[in-house]
Amino acid sequence: GPLFERYLKLKPSCPACHLDYAMFDAGDGPAVFGILIVGAIVAGLALWVEFTFSPPYWLHAVLWAPLIVILSLGFLRLSKSTLLVLQYRHKAGEGRLR
């Protein structure tokens, strides 16, 4: 898409309208949202599987490790782009001392 140059690196500007992306900074927000969302999903599913099927612990590792990686990578880019769009939409920027 027009927002990212690589997986999480922003392009310098929009190729269509030439909006400068330098004013945007999502900070640690995407990582925090990813941790909370992925953690809630995986913990809920792991508890459900444990109490429903009681599998051995190695099976939990085989099930949840790939899911954690896949969901984390998916939510990280999604949450970063969402936060950047919200920052633009609400004209949010860094606070400045006067």
Side-chain angles (χ1 to χ4, degrees):
L3 190 59
F4 294 105
E5 190 170 57
R6 291 192 306 252
Y7 186 71
L8 288 175
K9 183 177 179 352
L10 286 177
K11 290 183 179 179
S13 63
C14 177
C17 69
H18 307 292
L19 173 68
D20 185 18
Y21 291 157
M23 68 177 107
F24 300 122
D25 181 22
D28 292 333
V32 171
F33 285 127
I35 289 169
L36 293 174
I37 293 169
V38 171
I41 291 170
V42 173
L45 288 172
L47 287 171
W48 177 76
V49 167
E50 176 62 30
F51 290 120
T52 304
F53 304 108
S54 298
Y57 291 126
W58 66 265
L59 187 58
H60 277 291
V62 169
L63 286 173
W64 308 123
L67 185 64
I68 290 169
V69 170
I70 291 167
L71 288 178
S72 295
L73 291 174
F75 275 112
L76 191 57
R77 187 168 178 158
L78 176 66
S79 61
K80 182 170 184 169
S81 60
T82 301
L83 288 176
L84 294 175
V85 168
L86 287 172
Q87 194 175 21
Y88 174 73
R89 168 80 170 91
H90 296 287
K91 297 176 178 66
E94 291 185 26
R96 305 215 192 275
L97 295 175
R98 294 179 191 225

